[in-house]
Amino acid sequence: MLATQDHTWVLEGDITACFDEIDHPALMGRVRHRIGDNRVVRLVKAFLRAGVLSEDGVTRDTKMGTPQRGIVSPLLTNLALEVLDEHLAEARERDTATRVDRFPAPPPRTSRVSLGAICG
């Protein structure tokens, strides 16, 4: 008899320089896919290109990444990391399908009851 168990997995990781390394064209592609309003898309693009004012008063261009502590940076980072979520979900589905192929479920149990017992 095969026993089944449900497992909940939590994957925790630290992505080095996550906010700093996000590719603007790839991120904007995901933004366009999710947001139908071109005004909002242009606003996000402007936010990414706005640059960062450093503590020494120098404005630095932002060719990649999202400004940390920016109001929409966490949202944009989550949108960018959605690719990782999708990859892990696909890997899990492949693993589950492989496991099912290796260990097919037993046939359902049936019980036979005579009609005489049911109908009186």
Side-chain angles (χ1 to χ4, degrees), residues 3-18:
T4 60
Q5 296 177 345
D6 289 333
H7 296 283
T8 301
W9 293 88
V10 175
L11 178 65
E12 181 181 55
D14 185 14
I15 301 173
T16 304
C18 179

Side-chain angles (χ1 to χ4, degrees), residues 79-90:
L79 187 59
L81 291 175
E82 188 178 37
V83 174
L84 178 60
D85 291 337
E86 292 167 357
H87 173 74
L88 293 173
E90 288 172 8

Side-chain angles (χ1 to χ4, degrees), residues 20-86:
D20 301 331
E21 300 289 327
I22 292 176
D23 181 59
H24 286 184
L27 177 60
M28 288 306 299
R30 295 192 75 75
V31 168
R32 280 187 204 93
H33 177 73
R34 294 284 223 122
I35 299 174
D37 188 342
N38 284 331
R39 294 172 298 175
V40 175
V41 172
R42 285 193 305 268
L43 183 62
V44 170
K45 190 173 185 177
F47 173 79
L48 290 173
R49 290 184 172 177
V52 176
L53 180 62
S54 64
E55 292 177 3
D56 57 1
V58 177
T59 303
R60 296 196 172 100
D61 289 338
T62 50
K63 304 259 187 243
M64 61 186 322
T66 63
Q68 291 189 38
R69 298 185 193 102
I71 194 161
V72 296
S73 290
L75 177 68
L76 294 175
T77 302
N78 283 336
L79 187 59
L81 291 175
E82 188 178 37
V83 174
L84 178 60
D85 291 337
E86 292 167 357

